[in-house]
């Protein structure tokens, strides 16, 4: 994976954790994927693609954001 992309993912994870979100990391091919649980920061609402997730009778709003080459998957 590109070293700059990995560094961006690490910085995003630190920033999100500092803002009260839970973050787990994985990859989609060579793209870092950050799975985030918590409120979507106001800064990223304009970039988000919204959807609904139906899992085990639970309905959640989810958002996908591409930021700095990384994918962020939000569960509210």
């Amino acid at each position: 994976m590109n070293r700059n992309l990995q560094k961006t993912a690490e910085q995003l994870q630190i920033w999100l954790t500092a803002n009260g979100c839970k973050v787990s990391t994985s990859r989609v091919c060579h793209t870092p994927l950050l799975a985030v649980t918590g409120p979507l920061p106001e800064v990223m609402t304009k970039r988000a693609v919204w959807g609904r997730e139906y899992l085990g009778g639970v309905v959640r709003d989810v958002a996908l954001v591409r930021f700095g080459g990384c994918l962020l998957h939000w569960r509210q």
Side-chain angles (χ1 to χ4, degrees):
M1 180 182 347
N2 182 337
R3 198 176 278 209
N4 289 333
L5 197 53
Q6 180 63 34
K7 185 157 182 97
T8 301
E10 290 169 3
Q11 290 172 342
L12 277 171
Q13 184 175 7
I14 291 167
W15 183 77
L16 289 165
T17 304
N19 285 302
C21 296
K22 289 185 177 180
V23 181
S24 61
T25 59
S26 60
R27 285 189 289 158
V28 176
C29 293
H30 297 289
T31 304
L33 172 67
L34 302 173
V36 184
T37 303
L40 181 67
E42 188 100 10
V43 164
M44 296 190 181
T45 55
K46 291 181 181 177
R47 309 183 100 166
V49 176
W50 290 92
R52 293 245 163 132
E53 182 177 74
Y54 300 92
L55 185 62
V58 177
V59 180
R60 291 190 277 204
D61 288 328
V62 295
L64 292 173
V65 179
R66 189 166 192 87
F67 190 84
C70 301
L71 291 173
L72 294 102
H73 180 243
W74 248 277
R75 290 186 171 101
Q76 303 244 43

